[in-house]
Amino acid sequence: SGTTPSTAVGATATPSARPTAIPSATPTATPTAAPTFAEWPIAPKGPNYSDATIESLVSGPNGNMWFAWTLEPSPTTGMFGLGQITSSGDASTYQAPSPKVIPAATSGDGYLWALEAADFTQPQHIGQWTPGGALQAEYAVPGDVSSSITWGPDGALWFTALTAGGGTGEGAYIGRMTTAGQVSTYPLPDPSFPARDIVSGPDGDLWFIVPGTQSVGRIDPATGTITEYPVPPNGGVNEIGDSQTS
């Protein structure tokens, strides 16, 4: 008969080799460049003028940043205008014919639109400016004071305004102007309190704030319907941001 192999007493079985886990690589942090900061002068100065005041900033149709500037030693002898600055700091300024200029959003036809005049003694207009700084056209808009303007999702300009001084149509309203100068107005629910800081929202509506009623408002550009939402007590509203980029 065959012989069955025997295992020697006290012998130890050799364990089979087990795979060794390979440690995962530790990600290396990407160095982040330190931010840089620079400032450039943008408007003339003189012995009879205070330093220039910058009103607003908007991305222009030519890739530069545009702003409104003011040199105002007195309300009757001040200088006002638009300016633009390149990313390398080269600035140009252009004097405006009206006493105040607030930059607007740029339109699809390559122009910069500016709200001109913002006091009770001057008529107000919306000016159409070329990227070269030339005032190409002006369109009169109703009211005595306007505070903000933006390019709407419907391809028109939207602005906040106030007509004062008594008479029919007195009060705060939201305005719309086409690029051909046709103006429509939409009175606020409470015309005693003007709106400001109108912006184009991500939902296709125009949004604004009404500090006097502590509310945030919206207007449907298709219907002109205005809705206001009160801010919770002690919240207050001072500014609203723009969702659009140029």
Side-chain angles (χ1 to χ4, degrees), residues 36-64:
T36 57
F37 179 82
E39 288 185 343
W40 296 281
I42 52 81
K45 300 178 182 180
N48 298 323
Y49 291 91
S50 61
D51 290 346
T53 299
I54 306 301
E55 294 293 344
S56 298
L57 193 67
V58 64
S59 178
N62 55 355
N64 295 337

Side-chain angles (χ1 to χ4, degrees), residues 10 13 34 40 64 69 75 99 110 118 156 162 166 171 195 197 209 226 241:
W40 296 281
N64 295 337
W69 58 268
L162 171 67
D197 293 345
I209 62 173
I226 294 177

Side-chain angles (χ1 to χ4, degrees), residues 231-246:
V231 173
N234 302 321
V237 289
N238 294 304
E239 186 176 5
I240 191 168
D242 199 339
S243 70
Q244 75 176 60
T245 57
S246 300

